[in-house]
């Protein structure tokens, strides 16, 4: 019965179409381009205004469901593109993700992404080690490496090889991202640099910023206690002129760091080199300074580590001045500031990083100049004492040859381990007092 009514309705529609004037048949004779140009409302009006629409309306209509349907079920068939977009939108925001998708995302974050990061880091370590070996072979043939980026590569690769086992073990632990702030607080250089990303680097800086006020306050207190404990007889017998006055000035700087300037710290070098350097400062203070300077394993051999750090700072500052600060990349600028105990922000621009490093280079240069002047003064006093002694002892006068005099002049510009220890202490204490 339903089929018969459908056939009858179709015949009625066909008959109406054959008797409809040309103007009434406009909706059926529109070209595709014109039909697409009309809006849905205009097309519906044309259809309903024609006799064809009236004939189609007389045909039996299917029964509409009584329950509520989605808008996609009743969308006009003349809008296939809009209907497809609507269906896609409804499927996108239909509800929560399936459990399988959530589990897959969890496994990706927990296993897949850390594994790929670990494998890529090992690949970078392998290629870096191969490049270091190639550079070593060139050194055997051509001589020393003089380019800073090559020296930095060798040092960075050496540190990565030393820390690869503990760093790789930590990278394999589950939920290691949650413990990064704690690890960076107590073992700043646990992760090799080949595993670093921007996120890890900024997390390291954030952990250092959180601990810096506490470490700086503890370092100042320990330094004050050590300085006040120096015996008065030691200061009176010191080769440094006005040692007692210099100690009091340094204690005042530590107690009131807000008023201290870089020039004030430069003036303390002679006292630090003699009474307050990496060789005689308390170990607890040196450990705190190692944390503030982001050294790897600061609690291991703190005296030697701080001395090595001061020696490298002297050499690295000279290398940077030779190549100019502008030759460094953004990562190299960030790395150089971290290595010197600074805490650069992630929102600092390249010009700001360059300015901060340039200011440190100027300050370091003034400290080294103070060390050279102090060494020249000590050597001059020593030569004068030797000459005075040789005048009363003919045998000693005979020993003063031109070669010995030339050697004494060459020693004027050579810094001793004591001088390097004093430079390291002044530069390290600047991070305690000035920052």
């Amino acid at each position: 019965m339903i089929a018969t009514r459908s056939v009858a309705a179709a015949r009625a529609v066909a008959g109406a179409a054959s008797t409809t004037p040309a103007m009434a048949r406009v909706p059926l004779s529109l070209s595709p381009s014109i039909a697409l140009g009309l809006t849905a409302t205009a097309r519906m009006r044309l259809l309903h205004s024609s006799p064809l629409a009236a004939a189609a309306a007389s045909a039996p209509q299917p029964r509409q469901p009584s329950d509520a349907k989605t808008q996609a079920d009743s969308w006009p068939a003349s809008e296939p593109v809009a209907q497809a977009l609507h269906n896609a939108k409804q499927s996108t925001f239909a509800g929560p993700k399936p459990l399988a998708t959530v589990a897959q995302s969890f496994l990706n974050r927990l296993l897949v992404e850390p594994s790929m990061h670990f494998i890529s880091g090992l690949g970078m370590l392998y290629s870096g080690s191969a490049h270091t070996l190639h550079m070593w072979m060139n050194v055997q043939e051509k001589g020393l490496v003089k380019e800073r980026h090559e020296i930095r590569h060798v040092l960075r690769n050496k540190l990565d090889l030393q820390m690869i086992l503990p760093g790789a073990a930590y990278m394999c632990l589950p939920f290691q991202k949650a413990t990064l702030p704690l690890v960076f607080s107590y073992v700043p250089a646990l992760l090799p640099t080949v595993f670093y990303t921007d996120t890890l680097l900024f997390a390291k800086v954030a952990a250092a910023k959180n601990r810096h006020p506490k470490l700086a306050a503890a370092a100042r207190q320990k330094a004050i206690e050590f300085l006040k404990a120096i015996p008065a007889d030691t200061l009176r017998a010191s080769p440094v002129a006005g040692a007692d006055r210099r100690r009091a000035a340094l204690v005042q700087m530590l107690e009131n760091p807000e008023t201290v300037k870089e020039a004030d710290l430069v003036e303390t070098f002679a006292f630090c080199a003699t009474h307050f350097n990496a060789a005689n400062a308390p170990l607890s203070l040196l450990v705190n300074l190692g944390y503030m300077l982001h050294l790897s394993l600061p609690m291991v051999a703190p005296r030697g580590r701080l001395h090595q750090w001061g020696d490298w700072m002297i050499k690295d500052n000279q290398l940077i001045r030779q190549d100019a600060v502008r030759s460094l990349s953004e990562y190299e600028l960030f790395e150089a500031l971290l290595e010197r105990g600074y805490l650069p922000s992630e929102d600092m621009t390249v010009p700001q990083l360059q300015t901060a490093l340039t200011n440190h280079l100027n300050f370091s240069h003034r400290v080294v100049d103070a060390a050279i002047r102090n060494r020249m003064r000590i050597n001059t006093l020593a030569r004068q004492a030797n000459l005075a002694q040789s005048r009363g002892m003919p045998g000693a006068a005979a020993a003063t040859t031109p070669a010995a005099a030339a050697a004494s002049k060459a020693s004027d510009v050579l810094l001793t381990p004591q001088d390097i220890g004093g430079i390291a202490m002044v530069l390290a204490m600047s991070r305690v007092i000035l920052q």
Side-chain angles (χ1 to χ4, degrees), residues 102-103 160-161 167 186 237 256 272 377:
V102 176
D160 288 347
L161 291 175
Y186 292 95
N256 303 283
C272 291
R377 181 183 63 83

Side-chain angles (χ1 to χ4, degrees), residues 259-278:
T259 60
V260 180
K261 300 179 180 178
E262 292 181 349
D264 301 330
L265 286 175
V266 174
E267 296 298 327
T268 65
F269 170 79
F271 179 85
C272 291
T274 306
H275 302 286
F276 186 50
N277 55 40

Side-chain angles (χ1 to χ4, degrees), residues 256-335:
N256 303 283
E258 298 84 5
T259 60
V260 180
K261 300 179 180 178
E262 292 181 349
D264 301 330
L265 286 175
V266 174
E267 296 298 327
T268 65
F269 170 79
F271 179 85
C272 291
T274 306
H275 302 286
F276 186 50
N277 55 40
N280 53 25
L283 290 177
S284 58
L285 172 61
L286 299 181
V287 171
N288 277 11
L289 294 178
Y291 280 116
M292 298 181 67
L293 298 174
H294 317 296
L295 301 180
S296 59
L297 302 177
M299 70 291 297
V300 178
R303 296 192 189 279
R305 300 287 299 284
L306 186 62
H307 190 277
Q308 292 176 359
W309 174 83
D311 182 61
W312 167 243
M313 286 298 100
I314 298 172
K315 298 175 181 177
D316 192 36
N317 291 343
Q318 184 177 1
L319 291 173
I320 294 177
R321 280 192 292 267
Q322 289 177 356
D323 298 337
V325 176
R326 291 175 296 178
S327 64
L328 302 181
S329 64
E330 183 177 4
Y331 176 79
E332 289 175 332
L333 291 169
F334 209 92
E335 181 187 44

Side-chain angles (χ1 to χ4, degrees), residues 345-425:
S345 303
E346 58 181 291
D347 56 349
M348 291 181 66
T349 61
V350 172
Q352 291 174 337
L353 295 174
Q354 292 175 346
T355 301
L357 184 57
T358 301
N359 293 337
H360 172 80
L361 293 179
N362 295 335
F363 170 66
S364 175
H365 183 67
R366 295 167 64 185
V367 175
V368 173
D369 284 346
I372 294 176
R373 291 195 303 269
N374 184 69
R375 177 51 52 189
M376 293 176 62
R377 181 183 63 83
I378 294 175
N379 291 341
T380 301
L381 293 176
R383 286 199 303 271
Q384 291 175 356
N386 291 335
L387 289 175
Q389 186 179 8
S390 64
R391 289 173 183 174
M393 300 177 62
T400 306
T401 61
S408 64
K409 291 181 180 179
S411 66
D412 290 345
V413 293
L414 293 179
L415 298 177
T416 65
Q418 182 181 4
D419 298 329
I420 296 176
I423 293 173
M425 183 57 68

Side-chain angles (χ1 to χ4, degrees), residues 16-219:
S18 61
T19 59
T20 301
M23 184 61 67
R25 292 196 300 268
V26 168
L28 299 181
S29 61
L30 288 175
S31 64
S33 59
I34 300 177
L36 289 176
L38 294 176
T39 62
T41 304
R43 290 199 296 272
M44 294 300 296
R45 288 178 179 175
L46 288 174
L47 287 173
H48 286 291
S49 63
S50 63
L52 176 61
S58 63
Q61 299 295 329
R63 186 174 60 88
Q64 298 294 332
S66 59
D67 54 342
K69 292 285 187 177
T70 60
Q71 186 177 0
D73 296 336
S74 59
W75 200 270
S78 59
E79 296 289 345
V81 177
Q83 182 178 2
L85 293 176
H86 178 77
N87 293 339
K89 183 178 180 180
Q90 292 294 328
S91 62
T92 304
F93 302 98
K97 295 181 179 180
L99 182 60
T101 305
V102 176
Q104 182 179 4
S105 177
F106 177 76
L107 290 177
N108 286 338
R109 291 195 305 267
L110 183 64
L111 296 176
V112 178
E113 294 178 1
S115 299
M116 295 301 296
H117 186 198
F118 180 73
I119 293 174
S120 62
L122 291 181
M124 293 176 61
L125 180 63
Y126 173 78
S127 60
S129 301
H131 182 59
T132 301
L133 180 61
H134 179 71
M135 290 173 56
W136 180 81
M137 296 175 63
N138 289 338
V139 168
Q140 300 300 317
E141 298 177 358
K142 302 178 182 179
L144 296 176
V145 177
K146 298 181 180 180
E147 297 294 334
R148 182 185 182 273
H149 68 275
E150 295 181 349
I151 298 175
R152 285 297 309 166
H153 173 80
V154 173
L155 295 177
R156 193 182 300 116
N157 184 247
K158 179 182 177 181
L159 181 61
D160 288 347
L161 291 175
Q162 292 175 351
M163 304 302 295
I164 185 60
L165 291 180
Y170 173 75
M171 290 290 293
C172 294
L173 294 177
F175 307 107
Q176 43 91 7
K177 289 185 178 180
T179 59
L180 275 176
L182 183 64
V183 170
F184 282 141
S185 298
Y186 292 95
V187 192
L190 175 64
L191 293 182
T193 58
V194 293
F195 294 141
Y196 274 17
T197 60
D198 290 345
T199 303
L200 292 180
L201 190 61
F202 295 149
K204 179 179 179 178
V205 176
K209 286 183 178 180
N210 292 336
R211 291 200 68 194
H212 184 271
K214 184 178 179 180
L215 289 173

